[in-house]
Amino acid sequence: MKRSNLQIRGFSKLSKAAKITWLTEQHLSDPARGQELLASYNHADEAVQKRHDEFIENTVANYFLPLGVAPNFLINNQVYTVPMAIEESSVVAAAAKSAQFWMDRGGFHSTVISSTKIGHIHFTFTGDAAALNRLVVRIQPELFAATDSITANMRARGGGILRIDLKDRRAAMDDYFQLEVRFETRDSMGANFINSCLEEMAKVLRLEAATDAGTASGDLEVVMCILSNYTPECIVRSEVRCSLEDLDDGSDLDVYEFARKFQRAVRIAEVEPYRATTHNKGIMNGIDAVVLATGNDFRAVEAACHTYASRDGQYRSLTHCSVADGEFRFWIEIPLSLGTVGGLTKLHPMVQLALEMLGNPGAHELMGIVAASGLAQNFAALRALTTTGIQKGHMKMHLLNILNQLEATDAEKAQLTSFFADKVPHHADVVHAFCALRGIPVPAAEGVRS
Ligand code: MEV
């Protein structure tokens, strides 16, 4: 590996080929092989590849994740096949299993509770707060008017700016105020729309404050204009429910014992942050995979959900469960800011396919689907955790990954999959079984097993 000159100026200005040459020659022991590998991940259709190249800066290749589907999701009396982009082996299988289970019990009931998004002009002001308040009341029409051209299309679709409030945040930080602006962005996630509106409004605020008799004596400095990814007024709820008897899945499960233990497991995640983190991570397995497949911003969704999970000062479960009057109810309530227009939705061919697969939903419908996917995932995890343990299903799905690492042939994979059908295949067990099948010695690192 050369590593002679790892600093480079003007990298973004180089052609894609020149970037790849520099990258592979400076960083890889076998540049030719690196180049071949990167090239092999390019799309065969040059136009599609160019589009991917242009999503971000300094693209050198594509990065694949599997796109799986979880069929049989009955949500609000409609059946969906849910697209999921994720690398974790057991997630799609768990979602599909859960979906099938609830399909026979009325399915998921999803409701969008609210869809308001919030953005802020964060600013400092050293003058008279009452005068600032009067100014903000007076200039409301100008603040709206300044965004007229940006909001025209959104208003035509029933969205736009809902209200503008002055927030006095001086208790948190000296001289700190906000203009807090509420938006309805219909089927778009709305990040660019919100940020553009805020920046236009900030110009008006600055100008008016400088010339207003009441506020001109104080200094007003706009620090930044940005939407908040925390969307506690953009909330969706999804629920499953059935009688305790209907929890029977045909196995020898004691449904009363199961419901009691399941509810207790949820309660633990409601009171214990260590468990809540893992519990919610499992929920996000289901949520992120659909958010990503449908071209939405999973980092924004993650950030919002985790803030919401800690809204009372302690990090808690995003799902809840009740067992009362012979009925089992399990639900999730989360902030979800999603779009089905704009962003990647018209640009990424797989996103278009994923949305079409879902029947080209609007943002509200997609919120309901994503919430159901998170709930399904959590149901599958808790059912496994409170009955067989998680490793049985998890390692079963992971078996192929281990066999692929060992470079097993298809015939070997088939034999070993059937060998491990009724067992929990731990990594070392698989290596031992594989070596025995091939008649080769077990690598020293795997140790000796009885
Ligand atoms: C693994 O990705 C997710 C789980 O740990 C979630 C949970 O513990 O609830 C299985």
Side-chain angles (χ1 to χ4, degrees):
M1 210 180 317
K2 291 182 188 133
R3 291 205 176 272
S4 54
N5 185 8
L6 295 186
Q7 281 193 27
I8 181 164
R9 275 183 185 281
F11 183 71
S12 66
K13 309 253 169 352
L14 298 180
S15 68
K16 183 177 175 186
K19 283 174 189 153
I20 290 173
T21 304
W22 178 84
L23 175 76
T24 52
E25 288 185 350
Q26 294 303 321
H27 293 77
L28 304 183
S29 56
D30 185 347
R33 184 171 146 53
Q35 285 167 23
E36 200 182 306
L37 185 63
L38 290 171
S40 72
Y41 272 71
N42 277 331
H43 199 280
D45 180 332
E46 271 182 35
V48 175
Q49 185 52 50
K50 187 163 185 303
R51 202 175 271 187
H52 281 73
D53 289 349
E54 290 173 358
F55 285 150
I56 58 168
E57 194 169 76
N58 297 344
T59 309
V60 291
N62 304 316
Y63 183 93
F64 290 0
L65 280 181
L67 177 70
V69 295
N72 302 321
F73 259 94
L74 179 64
I75 305 169
N76 297 345
N77 296 320
Q78 195 169 323
V79 180
Y80 295 91
T81 299
V82 176
M84 305 180 87
I86 190 154
E87 87 302 343
E88 189 172 326
S89 28
S90 52
V91 169
V92 177
K97 202 168 163 197
S98 227
Q100 181 64 64
F101 180 86
W102 285 106
M103 165 77 97
D104 304 333
R105 292 161 181 82
F108 296 80
H109 310 275
S110 294
T111 318
V112 172
I113 292 170
S114 50
S115 58
T116 301
K117 289 153 193 178
I118 298 175
H120 295 99
I121 301 173
H122 299 273
F123 65 98
T124 53
F125 177 64
T126 55
D128 175 15
L132 178 65
N133 196 31
R134 282 194 298 277
L135 173 83
V136 171
V137 171
R138 178 175 70 73
I139 66 169
Q140 289 261 338
E142 285 85 346
L143 291 170
F144 276 93
T147 61
D148 265 355
S149 62
I150 305 171
T151 59
N153 281 341
M154 191 63 86
R155 280 184 281 124
R157 302 204 307 263
I161 299 172
L162 303 177
R163 54 181 293 164
I164 307 168
D165 295 294
L166 175 69
K167 298 274 159 179
D168 183 343
R169 302 299 319 278
R170 286 176 299 173
M173 188 182 116
D174 286 351
D175 306 328
Y176 177 29
F177 291 86
Q178 301 167 342
L179 273 198
E180 185 171 85
V181 188
R182 286 181 162 71
F183 298 85
E184 168 57 55
T185 62
R186 307 298 291 179
D187 287 330
S188 68
M189 192 256 195
N192 284 329
F193 169 74
I194 292 174
N195 291 336
S196 300
C197 289
L198 293 171
E199 288 186 5
E200 287 311 311
M201 285 192 271
K203 289 180 197 160
V204 173
L205 176 67
R206 250 192 234 111
L207 199 72
E208 295 283 348
T211 51
D212 180 81
T215 52
S217 57
D219 257 358
L220 185 147
E221 186 181 55
V222 171
V223 180
M224 59 190 158
C225 305
I226 188 76
L227 91 162
S228 175
N229 285 124
Y230 183 40
T231 55
E233 295 176 25
C234 186
I235 298 283
V236 59
R237 180 190 159 100
S238 190
E239 176 174 314
V240 286
R241 49 181 180 260
C242 69
S243 71
L244 291 180
E245 288 74 24
D246 282 349
L247 286 171
D248 189 355
D249 61 357
S251 69
D252 53 5
L253 187 80
D254 175 336
V255 289
Y256 303 100
E257 160 89 3
F258 167 70
R260 194 181 52 75
K261 233 174 138 184
F262 188 100
Q263 188 192 16
R264 209 164 261 187
V266 176
R267 189 75 198 125
I268 289 171
E270 285 170 341
V271 301
E272 166 54 60
Y274 277 96
R275 173 57 202 152
T277 306
T278 319
H279 177 98
N280 288 346
K281 186 274 181 188
I283 293 172
M284 300 318 286
N285 279 344
I287 290 180
D288 285 350
V290 188
V291 169
L292 195 54
T294 56
N296 276 283
D297 182 343
F298 66 93
R299 287 86 54 208
V301 167
E302 283 275 346
C305 284
H306 295 304
T307 309
Y308 194 68
S310 12
R311 67 194 180 282
D312 74 358
Q314 183 185 314
Y315 189 84
R316 297 181 192 279
S317 168
L318 291 165
T319 55
H320 308 281
C321 178
S322 78
V323 179
D325 303 326
E327 192 184 40
F328 174 87
R329 286 176 56 212
F330 181 46
W331 69 96
I332 187 168
E333 193 191 281
I334 41 168
L336 272 183
S337 174
L338 302 177
T340 55
V341 299
L344 276 193
T345 54
K346 285 272 172 299
L347 294 174
H348 197 303
M350 295 308 275
V351 167
Q352 282 183 301
L353 182 134
L355 287 171
E356 190 181 341
M357 191 190 302
L358 291 171
N360 290 317
H364 283 206
E365 191 178 345
L366 185 60
M367 286 165 78
I369 296 167
V370 170
S373 169
L375 187 67
Q377 201 60 225
N378 193 222
F379 180 78
L382 292 181
R383 184 162 67 168
L385 284 165
T386 55
T387 55
T388 56
I390 202 73
Q391 285 308 82
K392 189 163 180 252
H394 196 76
M395 292 309 288
K396 195 168 153 205
M397 294 307 301
H398 192 53
L399 176 61
L400 272 183
N401 284 345
I402 303 175
L403 292 173
N404 281 332
Q405 275 166 23
L406 295 168
E407 298 183 357
T409 64
D410 284 348
E412 287 165 340
K413 282 184 209 169
Q415 278 197 53
L416 290 166
T417 305
S418 103
F419 175 74
F420 282 108
D422 304 321
K423 306 178 181 74
V424 179
H426 297 295
H427 187 275
D429 299 329
V430 179
V431 175
H432 279 255
F434 172 77
C435 292
L437 182 67
R438 272 213 179 162
I440 56 173
V442 175
E446 296 297 337
V448 178
R449 291 178 76 80
S450 52

